[in-house]
Amino acid sequence: MSTHPVVADRALDRALDRAVDPAPAAAPPARRLAVVPPPASPSSTVQSVSPGVPAQPAGPAPSRARTAPAPGEEPLLPVVGGEEQVPLVTGGTARYANLDVAASAPALCWVADHVERVLPLYASVHRGAGYASQVSTAVLEGARDVVGGFVGARADDVVVWTRSTTDALAVLAGCVPDGGSVLVLDLEHHANLLPWRTQGHRGVTSRVVEAAPTLEGTLAVLADALAAEPTALLAVTGASNVTGEELPLRRVADLAHAAGARLAVDAAQLAPHRAVDVARDGVDWVALSGHKLYAPFGAGALVGRRDWLDDGTPYLAGGGAVAEVGVDDVRWAAAPARHEGGTPNVLGVAALAAACDALQALAGGALEAHERALRERLVDGLAGVPGVRVHRALEGAPSAIGVVTFTVDGVAPGLVAAVLSAEHGIGVRDGRFCAHPLLERLGLREGAVRASVGVGSRAEDVDRLVAALRALVSDGPGWEYALVEGRWAPVDDPRPWPEWGDPTARAAAARPCGG
């Protein structure tokens, strides 16, 4: 077992209660769900790192005079692999600086522990008479309250389990009324561009409008497009996966509703970094991914209004999605079961609920302050490196999450990323980030580099990145690199690789999203 504390998240506690008393609660989901540590063992003490942060095992209690670190100086929450050492081509090792959190966030330590806690009672859900099956069913169903509460769901909203944000938006795409029109901006990740295009056989159409260079101009563009023709659904990103810039969701919802449209929000990037409240902001549906939310165990969710989901095309035909099946006919179940055919990912759902609980337990404003400090430190540091340019899409956006995209004059983005990894132990993302239309508009057809921070990031990570870029610009790479299968890689790479994760043994593969 890990030495990190198990999060006794309310999903499992409620699950055990429901296994005995299955009566549904009449009240809507709680907005704040406590994350509590396990009882201290005789061999360890427990201390609180900061108000609202789950307690951790520790040695002797520190002096009360100890000054709390400034926002961003230390990790806000412990993550699996946060102290992992990785080899460098130049010899030796370095602590891995994971600045690729926007792609997939590492697991919170207590999320990993919670999965380990649930695993002994893992079983197939629904209709099982066995103790483990009843507990697993209750975990799955109780987690709907947790995730619904995390996004501020209304009492009559439904939570559908999916694999990811992409999967969630594909579920919703099959529920747009026949003949409806979907409107999106060119700022979107492909997950919010492509699903709507697959529904042409039902007469559903999609329109992509180009965002203006400013926030106010973009809102005006949306208003004009909504007025130009009837629209069933407006689908927008909550925060850009390329620039981190946020949209004011309340204002966007008001625009949509005034035109008779509904609003869906791709919250893959927003939910891990900002409080989401669909009831407050008037959002009709929100989609999110566990792997962005420090729960990389293969689960996601679509949360929102029931009517379209009850009437829509069942997402995956099969067991669990039906009420009755005959030889020649079928009567589909209502949502959420209607879209959850097959055996669900119980452990992924448990992980997602635990992550939501942990993030909600943070002291008010702690997450925003942590990320703001790191983002400002990163942007200011990059501004001081000659030839490095930070890219934006919406001047005047109210705020931005911890995602920063930049380029280095005269150096291919892929080479920048390879140097940072091989010589400095820093992980970033390069390419076009599955947002080709936006990169095209920004003049970045060849891609860019993206650095992203999260709860496990610290100021030292940012400082190492800036110092590494400064060295690259002034001195060039410290190793020889070559393009291998479309990716920059060190020539005669001396780094050892685990045999279960050796990249040199992989078959040639196309780069997802073309970069």
Side-chain angles (χ1 to χ4, degrees), residues 63-76:
S63 165
R64 291 180 181 274
R66 180 178 181 272
T67 302
E73 288 295 328
E74 299 292 341
L76 190 60

Side-chain angles (χ1 to χ4, degrees), residues 85-501:
Q85 295 287 314
V86 294
L88 306 178
V89 292
T90 51
T93 64
R95 181 185 60 79
Y96 184 57
N98 185 354
L99 294 176
D100 195 17
V101 178
S104 282
L108 290 173
C109 289
W110 35 83
V111 167
D113 282 339
H114 184 63
V115 170
E116 194 170 13
R117 180 187 181 211
V118 173
L119 193 56
L121 288 172
Y122 166 74
S124 185
V125 300
H126 301 142
R127 295 172 300 283
Y131 182 85
S133 180
Q134 291 184 47
V135 169
S136 290
T137 299
V139 167
L140 183 83
E141 296 304 326
R144 296 189 203 273
D145 289 349
V146 179
V147 175
F150 179 71
V151 298
R154 297 158 288 255
D156 55 349
D157 281 344
V158 63
V159 176
V160 177
W161 300 127
T162 67
R163 294 174 296 175
S164 61
T165 305
T166 301
D167 206 39
L169 292 171
V171 170
L172 183 59
C175 299
V176 176
D178 292 357
S181 175
V182 181
L183 180 67
V184 297
L185 287 166
D186 66 343
L187 301 174
E188 305 301 325
H189 187 282
H190 296 166
N192 196 31
L193 282 173
L194 301 180
W196 321 110
R197 300 182 186 179
T198 66
Q199 303 301 314
H201 63 287
R202 297 192 295 112
V204 173
T205 58
S206 64
R207 295 177 289 148
V208 180
V209 295
E210 183 175 315
T214 66
L215 172 65
E216 293 303 323
T218 297
L219 293 177
V221 165
L222 283 177
D224 290 344
L226 288 165
E229 62 180 85
T231 302
L233 181 70
L234 170 63
V236 300
T237 184
S240 171
N241 75 303
V242 176
T243 64
E245 293 159 319
E246 300 172 47
L247 287 178
L249 295 183
R250 178 74 255 182
R251 294 181 65 187
V252 175
D254 289 344
L255 288 175
H257 295 159
R262 295 192 181 187
L263 176 65
V265 174
D266 171 355
Q269 297 297 338
L270 184 66
H273 305 279
R274 298 287 186 270
V276 176
D277 195 321
V278 298
R280 176 197 65 202
D281 291 333
V283 173
D284 296 288
W285 292 278
V286 64
L288 54 83
S289 291
H291 78 103
K292 309 286 190 186
L293 266 166
Y294 310 99
F297 294 88
L302 174 67
V303 184
R305 301 197 183 278
R306 172 178 289 278
D307 54 350
W308 283 16
L309 299 177
D310 277 345
D311 294 336
T313 303
Y315 183 57
L316 183 63
V322 299
E324 188 69 33
V325 176
V327 174
D328 299 314
D329 61 352
V330 59
R331 181 164 57 88
W332 299 103
R338 187 184 191 89
H339 305 289
E340 294 178 354
T343 299
N345 181 1
V346 178
L347 297 178
V349 165
L352 176 55
C356 290
D357 261 344
L359 292 176
Q360 276 201 310
L362 288 170
L367 179 57
E368 290 84 350
H370 176 78
E371 287 202 354
R372 185 183 309 111
L374 290 173
R375 180 185 171 92
E376 290 176 356
R377 191 183 193 105
L378 177 57
V379 172
D380 290 346
L382 294 176
V385 182
V388 172
R389 292 180 292 155
V390 173
H391 299 276
R392 300 191 61 183
L394 287 176
E395 292 294 333
S399 58
I401 61 170
V403 173
V404 177
T405 287
F406 62 93
T407 50
V408 180
D409 289 348
V411 187
L415 179 55
V416 174
V419 170
L420 291 174
S421 173
E423 299 179 30
H424 302 278
I426 300 169
V428 295
R429 181 75 29 167
D430 70 279
R432 291 188 285 169
F433 318 119
C434 291
H436 294 181
L438 175 55
L439 270 290
E440 181 79 28
R441 185 159 66 83
L442 293 176
L444 301 173
R445 185 172 181 76
E446 301 306 314
V449 183
R450 182 183 70 190
S452 50
V453 300
V455 298
S457 305
R458 61 193 81 174
E460 179 191 347
D461 300 338
V462 171
D463 294 345
R464 280 174 56 191
L465 172 65
V466 172
L469 290 170
R470 192 179 299 278
L472 174 62
V473 168
S474 62
D475 304 327
W479 197 269
E480 183 181 353
Y481 296 83
L483 281 169
V484 179
E485 298 174 7
R487 296 287 297 169
W488 287 95
V491 174
D492 298 325
D493 190 344
R495 292 174 293 174
W497 301 93
E499 63 180 44
W500 42 265

